[in-house]
Amino acid sequence: MALLEVNHVQKIYKTRFGGNEVMALKDVHFTVEPGEFVAIMGESGSGKTTLLNIMAALDVPTMGSVSVDGKDMSKLSDSARTLFRREHLGFIFQDFNLLDNFSLEDNILLPLVLAGEKYEKMQAKMQPIVKELGIAELIKKYPYEVSGGQKQRAAVARSLITNPKILLADEPTGALDSKSSTNLLRQLREINQSGQTILMVTHSNVAASYADRVMFIKDGEVFHQIYKGDMKRSEMLDKICDAVTVLMRGGDESEQ
Amino acid sequence: MNNKLIFRLIKSSLEKNRQTRIPFFLVGVFTSMIFYMVASLAWSKYIVGENGELFYGADNIALILTIGSAVIAIIAAIIILYANMFTMKDRRREIGLYGILGLPKKSILTMLCYESLMTYGISVGGGLLIGTFLNKLMLLTLYKLVGQAPVSGLMFTPVAFVFTIALFAGIYIICLIYNMLSIHLSKPVELLHSNQTGEKEPKVKWVSLVIGVVALVAGYVVALKCKSSIEALGDIFIAIVLVIVGTYGLFTAVSIAILKWVKRNKNMYYKTNNFVGVANLMYRMKHNASGLASICVLSCAVILLISCVVSLVALGNQNIKMRCPSEVVVRYTEEDDNTEQQFWDCVHGIEGLETSDELQAEVWPTAMEAVEGQYGAFQYLDEESRFDYTKWKQMYFLTQETYNRFAKEPISITAGEAYVVSSTNAHFSEIAIGDQIFHVAGEAELGAMNYVRDMSMVLFDNIFIVVADETIARDLMQGVITQEGVDATKPICTSGFEVEGELTDGQMQQIRDAVAGLTDTWKVEFEKEERGYFISLYGGVLFVGVFLGVVFLVATVLIIYYKQMSEGFEDHHRYQIMKKVGLTEKEVRGSINRQVMILFFLPLVVAAVHIGVASHIIRLFMTLIVYVEPVTFYLAIAGSIAVFALVYCFVYKMTSSQYFKIVDAAEHVA
């Protein structure tokens, strides 16, 4: 059974005074298997952030449904959704969303503290993760004392500490320089290889080339998919670039 | 640059920032109104007219009101400047944006000028308008208090009106200068990004911590150890300064030290309930500790003012009754029966004066000092201690015959026995006066002592000793050193009577003349006169006290409101992140609630403790002015705390809903 099922999802936003309707997602339908690393690509306004919000249980679809492990999230109440998010999903954001009045350690432990775990248990969960991410020495520092790449790794540690079913990443390299980006993507790759399902929204070709599968979204629909199979990463990158070019040209033509 | 655009900008800025601007207007209206009202009374021709005071003590009232208005002016200036600073802090971004969009600085400054003028006009205009209507009400209240017949017509004091306009123009000009400077000195980009840098976790300031704790403990010790009104006179100011210093230390350093300690304690810190709160509180304390300390000190001031005013009112009647246990009271040193008879003959001869309840008491008063280390033992003052007021105990010896005239339950004692009562509630089983020892057979009634008490001696501990007869009392007075020519063994006599119907001024004069014709130890007091004197002196204090209390309360409420607002904006971002990480709506609310409660009620609780500790020394201090009966005084304090806490809770309810709105608002900027 698929881990994540996005079932003909449609999302329509109404402007505040009930005037115009904006269709952010027309009909999105796909599944993600356990252990997959999926990248979702699309230009600004293509609906990819809306899709991520719906998958993250931050928003509900107008039509269709999203289920994780066979559980339909749109049927849950608000607080049940929050709890579900806390227990089963991990998040990485473009702007890190670390609390600047907590040390990195406290930021990482935050989800566990919210879940009411014992301090010793929390430490036992945190140590291997921060070692793997190479930030074990930094955890006593505060967000404003470390670099962007280190902040993002702390955010990754925070998302992994609850041992989530799916890791959702929203433009994780968006605020990083190329070196930190590469480091982070390699780490995500490794995490994926150890069995973690990852779903990443990005508009960076390079970032997407680290995934097993890349989905292109355009005008609220899944437009195209590329599977990596046994391709090398450089070949994958070429294919992605080609697809992006086609995607853009298509847009051009439709305008004429 | 056309004016139309400037006004449009002012209008939209007002609408956008109404959460901070409306209170700013209200504060202006309120402070100018109160200042105008107090100043109007101070200079009113209905209190001190062209031909001097209009009623007895009016000069006093006018003077106190003038001093009060000066104090109110200073506080008003501070409150308005504070509120202005807050509204400005919030608008930096907006003004920075105008700069970036190409509005020249000159136009921005023009905009600020118009805005200030408008704020000034609305605030002071409103204050003067409301004040004008309330003025008459205030005057009538004052008239009622002093028992003056009401006057008709609208009360308008031109001097106060002009002065209010000028004073507040000055305050708003200072605000404008501050705003202009803060805009002028900064670049648009800086204005735009004014509050977005990370900051360090606060460190424990050990120096302030030590100073704070030492000052607070010292202040408490001074307040609690004070034994007499004489000591209180000097100590109260030391205690106030120490406690204020201590309060600032307590909030700035001790709070952070405690939070740090909690944080080090891993099992306590990593609990869902504490985790978010401790870190947030630590940062909020860093920014707001001095604000909280100010709230605490202001709360103390409000509670104190209210309780002092309330107890003055409550004690006023009691004091007059003590000073004048009958409507007419005469006091004199013992005379032969002839002189007394002469006095009574005169009184009975006054036309239309019908007396009743004629009473007389004899008492032998003297100051003594307690023998150190021997409870219940007192010695006569020697040449040295005669002038050391700090050790004085005021003793009154009276016979059981006199006592029985006033007591509810008559007593019967023998030579070696005494009935004793002390103003400080001290109990004795045996009492030694010099070398004479009395067995204390029981406690006398304090209420029976009004006729023998000397009101000028209420500063000291008063001990009343009822002995079997006159010989013993005279004998006890043998040891007293007196000035030459004064015979201490002669008792002080107090006679008094009630008058049927109203005592007229003419009758009062006749009694005065009768007394003047006797020997020079004779003094007469009329309850009617005393009451007028008391009210004229304390009526002004009462008025100013109430107004000052209200102004302090407004200042407190304002600081709390702005504090809640600014913290709401700070916390909004934080809670938004936590919600994304998986904090449920309920948990967010719970956490915010707990935090706000702690921050809100901490100053109140500390203020209540301060007042509790201070009540003793304040009572002693107030005894310098009036006799303060403990039960009434403590009830007044408890009542004031309760009323203040109620108002405080009301403000909490109102501001915290505002705060929730800000914190919990959906992300407005993506």
Side-chain angles (χ1 to χ4, degrees), chain B residues 71-87:
Chain B
V71 177
I72 289 172
I74 294 168
I75 298 169
I78 295 172
I79 302 178
I80 292 175
L81 288 176
Y82 173 82
N84 174 63
M85 233 148 74
F86 188 89
T87 49

Side-chain angles (χ1 to χ4, degrees), chain A residues 75-101:
Chain A
K75 288 207 179 106
L76 296 176
S77 73
D78 257 8
S79 60
R81 267 214 308 280
T82 310
L83 281 177
F84 182 85
R85 193 160 69 230
R86 180 154 103 194
E87 281 159 22
H88 301 296
L89 302 175
F91 293 94
I92 314 171
F93 305 92
Q94 175 174 356
D95 50 359
F96 323 126
N97 274 342
L98 293 176
L99 293 164
D100 52 10
N101 55 355

Side-chain angles (χ1 to χ4, degrees), chain A residues 82 85-86 91 93 97-99 101-102 105-106 109-111 113-114 116 119-120 122 142 144 158, chain B residues 199-201 263 266 269-272 275 279-280 283 574 577-584 587:
Chain A
T82 310
R85 193 160 69 230
R86 180 154 103 194
F91 293 94
F93 305 92
N97 274 342
L98 293 176
L99 293 164
N101 55 355
F102 281 118
E105 176 181 15
D106 290 350
L109 294 179
L110 182 64
V113 176
L114 296 183
Y119 180 66
E120 290 76 26
M122 291 187 214
Y142 281 80
Y144 58 86
R158 178 179 67 188
Chain B
E199 55 170 333
K200 290 210 169 88
E201 192 182 277
K263 201 173 166 181
K266 302 282 180 206
Y269 176 54
Y270 289 100
K271 280 257 158 42
T272 319
F275 190 63
N280 277 4
Y283 284 85
R574 246 171 243 150
I577 292 178
M578 278 188 264
K579 266 184 180 166
K580 278 184 189 158
V581 177
L583 203 62
T584 60
E587 285 166 333

Side-chain angles (χ1 to χ4, degrees), chain A residues 12-215:
Chain A
I12 296 169
Y13 287 111
K14 283 202 176 93
T15 48
R16 208 190 304 180
F17 302 108
N20 292 340
E21 286 188 352
V22 176
M23 185 170 291
L25 296 176
K26 209 191 239 166
D27 179 23
V28 178
H29 185 83
F30 66 91
T31 59
V32 175
E33 297 300 319
E36 259 195 303
F37 185 172
V38 179
I40 298 173
M41 289 195 74
E43 284 190 77
S44 314
S46 61
K48 59 184 194 305
T49 303
T50 309
L51 178 62
L52 190 83
N53 281 344
I54 289 174
M55 291 189 294
L58 288 166
D59 206 344
V60 281
T62 316
M63 267 166 62
S65 66
V66 174
S67 22
V68 176
D69 240 359
K71 202 172 200 166
D72 188 348
M73 287 197 292
S74 41
K75 288 207 179 106
L76 296 176
S77 73
D78 257 8
S79 60
R81 267 214 308 280
T82 310
L83 281 177
F84 182 85
R85 193 160 69 230
R86 180 154 103 194
E87 281 159 22
H88 301 296
L89 302 175
F91 293 94
I92 314 171
F93 305 92
Q94 175 174 356
D95 50 359
F96 323 126
N97 274 342
L98 293 176
L99 293 164
D100 52 10
N101 55 355
F102 281 118
S103 64
L104 293 186
E105 176 181 15
D106 290 350
N107 264 297
I108 295 168
L109 294 179
L110 182 64
L112 293 185
V113 176
L114 296 183
E117 287 224 26
K118 281 247 177 329
Y119 180 66
E120 290 76 26
K121 248 181 151 177
M122 291 187 214
Q123 281 295 331
K125 283 188 182 172
M126 182 182 69
Q127 284 311 329
I129 296 172
V130 291
K131 264 188 204 129
E132 203 185 314
L133 289 166
I135 50 169
E137 321 287 282
L138 298 174
I139 55 170
K140 294 288 175 205
K141 296 206 176 218
Y142 281 80
Y144 58 86
E145 294 174 311
V146 301
S147 72
Q150 289 163 336
K151 274 189 228 178
Q152 194 60 299
R153 274 185 277 165
V156 173
R158 178 179 67 188
S159 68
L160 290 176
I161 200 151
T162 51
N163 197 12
K165 291 203 167 86
I166 306 172
L167 179 60
L168 295 165
D170 185 6
E171 297 277 15
T173 58
L176 302 181
D177 60 66
S178 62
K179 200 171 155 232
S180 312
S181 296
T182 315
N183 276 337
L184 182 78
L185 289 164
R186 286 213 181 109
Q187 253 152 2
L188 286 179
R189 179 84 252 178
E190 279 165 30
I191 292 163
N192 169 248
Q193 271 154 7
S194 63
Q196 176 69 53
T197 313
I198 301 179
L199 202 69
M200 172 172 73
V201 167
T202 182
H203 62 247
S204 151
N205 300 350
V206 179
S209 69
Y210 283 84
D212 295 329
R213 168 158 63 117
V214 182
M215 276 193 298

